[in-house]
Amino acid sequence: MLKGKTAVITGSTSGIGKGIAHELAKAGCNVVLNGFGDSGEIEKNRAALTDEFGVEALYIGADMAKPAQIQDMINQTRNTFGSVDILVNNAGIQHVAPIEEFPVDKWNAIIAIHLSAAFHTTCNAIPIMKGQGWGRIINIAAAHALVASPYKTAYVSAKHGLAGLTKTVALEVAQLHITCNAICPGYVLTPLVENQITDTAKARGITEEQVVSDVLLAAQPTKKFTKVEDIGVLTTFLCSESAANITGAIIPIDGGWTAQ
Ligand code: NAD
């Protein structure tokens, strides 16, 4: 379905981004992997995508907090593949603390990686997409783009901002065969969530088991975590021609969380 197209997926060395890269490669798309981690593991995953799906896969370790590195990543993608057809803004970090104790460096990093990075990748990719007359931008937001939870000021602010960026970009390119949408997962069991269980337990004065049952899954009426693979399939659908008239949409995949 996406044979010959090229996708940049930020934060694709782990969790949701890794799953999205897998699904896009399965659909025949060349992929640019990005993110941090063990270099051997990253290379193993890159090689597995080329072997299994016969696509090209390139790893670029750009730091999404650094605008110059973002620009280099988009340029390197275009120079290598001749196009940037699909952009998935997914890289992310989390920090959980009451606002009066929220470290300023964590605030700055979360806003930079979740929100400003999507601005910079989009600024650099849009002229290329306009030149091609086709593009898909998918921002991995969160249920926290629509509702808040305590102790996550930076994350909730960044994700609400990302929803605004999504809608604005969608309107600016609406007639150019470029769509821009946000996917809003509920809780997904990835390292990002697993790592915040301890901090949430501390902030709320409860056990880690209570965080899973009373905080995480309490928010989701289905009582099920969202699956990485399902986010990958939804992303691939948004890249299809059937989704050409879906733009500026903020799409929850959250077990009913934001329906309440
Ligand atoms: P994860 O920790 O498994 O993966 C995060 C990825 O981002 C990794 O590849 C990491 O190396 C990369 N990354 C972090 N900082 C970076 C930087 N400065 N530059 C480049 N890459 C960087 O987390 P995940 O759960 O897969 O989260 C992915 C996205 O999904 C995030 O935007 C997150 O907010 C969103 N999300 C996650 C959940 C969830 O429950 N896991 C729910 C809703 C939304």
Side-chain angles (χ1 to χ4, degrees), residues 212-236:
V212 173
S213 62
D214 301 351
V215 180
L216 303 185
L217 292 182
Q220 299 193 181
T222 57
K223 302 295 171 209
K224 289 192 179 117
F225 285 103
T226 296
K227 289 194 207 138
V228 165
E229 304 78 55
D230 295 346
I231 299 169
V233 170
L234 178 55
T235 302
T236 306

Side-chain angles (χ1 to χ4, degrees), residues 65-80:
K66 308 257 168 67
Q69 294 188 25
I70 292 173
Q71 187 175 19
D72 286 348
M73 177 182 72
I74 300 295
N75 286 340
Q76 201 184 328
T77 303
R78 190 205 28 212
N79 294 341
T80 306

